[in-house]
Amino acid sequence: MTAVTFRDETATGTPVAAFEVGGLPARMTVRELIRLRVREEVARYNARPSTRFNGLVRPDDAETELNGYRMRDRRPIDWERQAEIAERAFLGNGFFVLAGDRQVEDLDEEIDLTGDPDLVFVKLVPLVGG
Protein backbone atom coordinates (compact mmCIF):
# COMPACT_ATOMS: atom_id res chain seq x y z
CA MET A 1 0.00 0.00 0.00
CA THR A 2 1.12 3.53 -0.74
CA ALA A 3 0.19 7.13 0.00
CA VAL A 4 -0.55 10.01 -2.34
CA THR A 5 -0.38 13.75 -1.77
CA PHE A 6 -3.12 15.82 -3.39
CA ARG A 7 -1.87 19.35 -4.02
CA ASP A 8 -3.74 22.36 -5.36
CA GLU A 9 -1.78 25.02 -7.20
CA THR A 10 -2.60 28.12 -9.16
CA ALA A 11 -1.88 28.25 -12.90
CA THR A 12 1.40 29.99 -12.05
CA GLY A 13 2.50 27.15 -9.74
CA THR A 14 1.75 28.82 -6.41
CA PRO A 15 0.74 26.21 -3.80
CA VAL A 16 -2.79 26.64 -2.40
CA ALA A 17 -3.48 23.52 -0.31
CA ALA A 18 -2.31 19.93 0.18
CA PHE A 19 -3.31 16.77 2.01
CA GLU A 20 -2.18 13.14 2.01
CA VAL A 21 -4.18 9.92 1.84
CA GLY A 22 -2.55 6.60 2.66
CA GLY A 23 -3.36 2.93 2.29
CA LEU A 24 -3.82 3.05 -1.48
CA PRO A 25 -3.01 0.41 -4.10
CA ALA A 26 0.04 0.87 -6.33
CA ARG A 27 -2.04 1.90 -9.36
CA MET A 28 -5.30 3.83 -9.70
CA THR A 29 -7.11 5.53 -12.57
CA VAL A 30 -7.45 9.30 -12.69
CA ARG A 31 -11.20 8.83 -12.19
CA GLU A 32 -10.61 6.79 -9.01
CA LEU A 33 -8.13 9.38 -7.72
CA ILE A 34 -10.50 12.28 -8.35
CA ARG A 35 -13.35 10.41 -6.64
CA LEU A 36 -11.04 9.53 -3.71
CA ARG A 37 -9.94 13.14 -3.37
CA VAL A 38 -13.52 14.44 -3.45
CA ARG A 39 -14.75 11.79 -0.98
CA GLU A 40 -11.92 12.70 1.40
CA GLU A 41 -12.47 16.49 1.26
CA VAL A 42 -16.26 16.09 1.66
CA ALA A 43 -15.77 13.74 4.64
CA ARG A 44 -13.52 16.35 6.28
CA TYR A 45 -16.12 19.06 5.67
CA ASN A 46 -19.06 16.90 6.86
CA ALA A 47 -17.19 16.09 10.09
CA ARG A 48 -17.11 19.84 10.88
CA PRO A 49 -19.60 21.71 8.65
CA SER A 50 -18.99 25.42 8.30
CA THR A 51 -19.98 28.27 6.04
CA ARG A 52 -16.88 27.67 3.89
CA PHE A 53 -15.97 24.66 1.76
CA ASN A 54 -12.45 24.31 0.37
CA GLY A 55 -12.72 21.69 -2.30
CA LEU A 56 -12.00 20.82 -5.89
CA VAL A 57 -15.42 21.81 -7.24
CA ARG A 58 -18.32 24.00 -6.12
CA PRO A 59 -21.15 22.30 -4.24
CA ASP A 60 -24.73 22.97 -5.31
CA ASP A 61 -26.07 26.27 -3.89
CA ALA A 62 -22.61 27.55 -2.90
CA GLU A 63 -21.02 30.80 -4.02
CA THR A 64 -17.49 30.98 -5.39
CA GLU A 65 -14.95 32.86 -3.28
CA LEU A 66 -11.19 33.20 -3.50
CA ASN A 67 -9.77 29.64 -3.11
CA GLY A 68 -13.05 28.17 -1.87
CA TYR A 69 -16.82 28.30 -1.74
CA ARG A 70 -19.25 29.98 0.66
CA MET A 71 -22.06 27.68 1.74
CA ARG A 72 -25.53 29.17 2.16
CA ASP A 73 -26.04 27.00 5.24
CA ARG A 74 -24.13 24.41 7.22
CA ARG A 75 -25.37 21.21 5.67
CA PRO A 76 -23.83 17.88 4.80
CA ILE A 77 -22.50 17.55 1.26
CA ASP A 78 -23.10 14.42 -0.85
CA TRP A 79 -19.65 13.20 -1.94
CA GLU A 80 -21.03 11.19 -4.87
CA ARG A 81 -22.75 14.28 -6.30
CA GLN A 82 -19.50 16.22 -5.83
CA ALA A 83 -17.55 13.44 -7.58
CA GLU A 84 -19.90 13.60 -10.57
CA ILE A 85 -19.42 17.37 -10.74
CA ALA A 86 -15.64 16.90 -10.52
CA GLU A 87 -15.58 14.33 -13.33
CA ARG A 88 -17.57 16.68 -15.57
CA ALA A 89 -15.28 19.57 -14.64
CA PHE A 90 -12.21 17.52 -15.56
CA LEU A 91 -13.74 16.58 -18.93
CA GLY A 92 -14.79 20.21 -19.50
CA ASN A 93 -11.32 21.62 -18.69
CA GLY A 94 -12.42 23.12 -15.37
CA PHE A 95 -9.16 21.81 -13.89
CA PHE A 96 -6.27 19.64 -14.96
CA VAL A 97 -4.15 17.09 -13.16
CA LEU A 98 -0.37 16.73 -13.21
CA ALA A 99 1.11 13.38 -12.21
CA GLY A 100 4.83 13.80 -11.80
CA ASP A 101 6.06 15.84 -14.75
CA ARG A 102 3.15 15.28 -17.12
CA GLN A 103 -0.47 16.28 -17.55
CA VAL A 104 -2.99 13.44 -17.55
CA GLU A 105 -5.83 13.80 -20.01
CA ASP A 106 -8.02 10.71 -19.68
CA LEU A 107 -10.15 9.71 -16.68
CA ASP A 108 -9.37 6.06 -17.34
CA GLU A 109 -5.59 6.52 -17.49
CA GLU A 110 -3.79 4.57 -14.76
CA ILE A 111 -1.29 6.35 -12.53
CA ASP A 112 1.59 4.52 -10.86
CA LEU A 113 1.49 5.78 -7.28
CA THR A 114 4.77 4.13 -6.30
CA GLY A 115 6.95 6.41 -8.44
CA ASP A 116 5.74 9.96 -7.74
CA PRO A 117 2.69 10.04 -5.52
CA ASP A 118 2.22 13.84 -5.77
CA LEU A 119 -0.82 14.79 -7.81
CA VAL A 120 -1.21 18.47 -8.63
CA PHE A 121 -4.66 19.88 -9.36
CA VAL A 122 -4.80 23.21 -11.16
CA LYS A 123 -8.21 24.89 -11.36
CA LEU A 124 -8.77 26.94 -14.47
CA VAL A 125 -10.61 30.24 -14.14
CA PRO A 126 -12.70 31.44 -17.10
CA LEU A 127 -11.65 34.82 -18.45
CA VAL A 128 -14.06 37.68 -17.97
CA GLY A 129 -15.68 38.60 -21.27
CA GLY A 130 -14.10 35.55 -22.94
Side-chain angles (χ1 to χ4, degrees):
M1 295 295 200
T2 187
V4 66
T5 301
F6 294 96
R7 290 187 299 136
D8 290 345
E9 292 184 0
T10 65
T12 60
T14 303
V16 176
F19 65 92
E20 185 176 288
V21 177
L24 303 178
R27 298 183 70 78
M28 293 179 74
T29 66
V30 174
R31 180 186 317 273
E32 292 168 329
L33 288 163
I34 288 172
R35 292 181 68 82
L36 172 70
R37 180 218 160 113
V38 168
R39 186 180 73 219
E40 199 52 39
E41 66 193 14
V42 167
R44 291 173 189 212
Y45 172 84
N46 286 343
R48 302 186 83 172
S50 72
T51 57
R52 184 163 173 76
F53 177 72
N54 294 317
L56 183 59
V57 292
R58 183 177 63 82
D60 295 323
D61 297 330
E63 296 179 26
T64 302
E65 292 185 330
L66 183 63
N67 297 325
Y69 306 99
R70 184 164 30 99
M71 303 293 290
R72 293 181 194 259
D73 55 0
R74 296 175 188 208
R75 62 172 173 79
I77 297 173
D78 177 4
W79 82 266
E80 290 176 317
R81 170 84 175 121
Q82 283 299 104
E84 291 169 10
I85 294 169
E87 286 180 27
R88 284 195 308 273
F90 177 85
L91 293 172
N93 297 320
F95 66 90
F96 62 89
V97 178
L98 300 173
D101 60 351
R102 66 183 180 82
Q103 180 177 339
V104 293
E105 298 179 6
D106 186 343
L107 283 173
D108 296 319
E109 182 176 340
E110 280 196 348
I111 305 296
D112 180 1
L113 301 178
T114 60
D116 186 359
D118 275 1
L119 294 176
V120 177
F121 290 74
V122 180
K123 293 182 195 177
L124 302 176
V125 181
L127 297 174
V128 175

